[in-house]
Amino acid sequence: DKMRKRIAESMVASLMHTAPHVTAVFEADLSAVMRHRAVNKEAFAKAGTPLTLTAYFIAASVAAIQKVPRVNSRWFDEHIEIYRHVNMGIGTALGDQGLIVPVLHQSQSMDLQAIAAGLSDLITRARDNKLRPEDVRNGTFTISNHGVSGSLIATPIIINQPQSAILGVGKIEKRIKIKEVNGEDVMVVRPMCYVRLT
């Protein structure tokens, strides 16, 4: 259909004609996030806001961008332009209809509650086909949570140029990790996922 054709054209243009791509893969231990979410999930729900893991990834990405502003930039042949605002695009699957990337504007000024509320609103309206044109414009960085489909590792491509970076988040699963405790190596079980920054 037309949406899938546009997505494919944008991905090819991004990869082949717009900017050089490189992907770095990291493994994230989400133990602290899971503890925080367990303590706060009910309070968020009572306030009418689901506390999703994507909200944490947005908050973490904003914090990382503030430390490394070049990630939040636009590529030109001769220079890059670094944005002041972090307008976070959230890759949202629409089932067989394709993918859309609504934008949480100026997320650098939001706390976790505001991020979670804004995210919930955008995702609901995206799936109900009620986004406005401004809801999908001016993104500066994108998160693609492909882990919801069970994928451990994927290499996301920037769909919405002129963005310069996209973060892919894989499936969260319990893994055995080795941790040093009192000078001894101990096996511990941790909620882990792979994240990829392209």
Side-chain angles (χ1 to χ4, degrees), residues 50 54-55 72 116 134:
T54 301
N72 193 50
E134 58 267 29

Side-chain angles (χ1 to χ4, degrees), residues 1-176:
D1 61 23
K2 288 181 181 178
M3 179 182 282
R4 287 187 178 276
K5 185 176 180 183
R6 282 197 305 270
I7 291 169
E9 288 169 349
S10 295
M11 291 175 75
V12 169
S14 179
L15 185 60
M16 303 300 290
H17 306 296
T18 307
H21 279 61
V22 66
T23 298
V25 180
F26 304 90
E27 192 174 34
D29 181 343
L30 299 182
S31 298
V33 169
M34 298 305 242
R35 284 192 300 271
H36 185 274
R37 185 172 183 242
V39 170
N40 292 282
K41 188 175 179 181
E42 188 175 326
F44 274 61
K46 283 181 181 176
T49 303
L51 182 54
T52 65
L53 293 173
T54 301
Y56 287 95
F57 282 106
I58 292 171
S61 295
V62 168
I65 286 168
Q66 289 171 334
K67 290 184 182 283
V68 187
R70 285 183 151 207
V71 174
N72 193 50
S73 64
R74 178 177 179 177
W75 166 271
F76 293 90
D77 286 341
E78 302 298 328
H79 67 283
I80 61 170
E81 175 186 351
I82 299 174
Y83 298 113
R84 289 186 319 236
H85 303 302
V86 181
N87 295 336
M88 190 67 65
I90 303 101
T92 305
L94 300 177
D96 291 338
Q97 297 175 332
L99 175 81
I100 195 162
V101 185
V103 177
L104 189 62
H105 291 92
Q106 299 197 32
S107 54
Q108 81 285 348
S109 62
M110 299 178 182
D111 62 10
L112 187 62
Q113 174 80 37
I115 288 171
L119 175 64
S120 176
D121 172 61
L122 283 172
I123 300 302
T124 299
R125 288 192 292 118
R127 293 188 174 145
D128 292 341
N129 199 25
K130 293 183 179 177
L131 290 174
R132 302 165 304 220
E134 58 267 29
D135 292 326
V136 294
R137 289 188 186 138
N138 301 318
T140 62
F141 185 93
T142 295
I143 293 179
S144 174
N145 187 354
H146 56 84
V148 296
S149 65
S151 171
L152 291 177
I153 298 176
T155 306
I157 301 297
I158 298 164
I159 294 174
N160 293 328
Q161 289 293 341
Q163 294 179 38
S164 292
I166 182 168
L167 185 76
V169 179
K171 176 185 175 183
I172 299 166
E173 61 180 7
K174 292 180 180 179
R175 296 187 199 135
I176 296 173

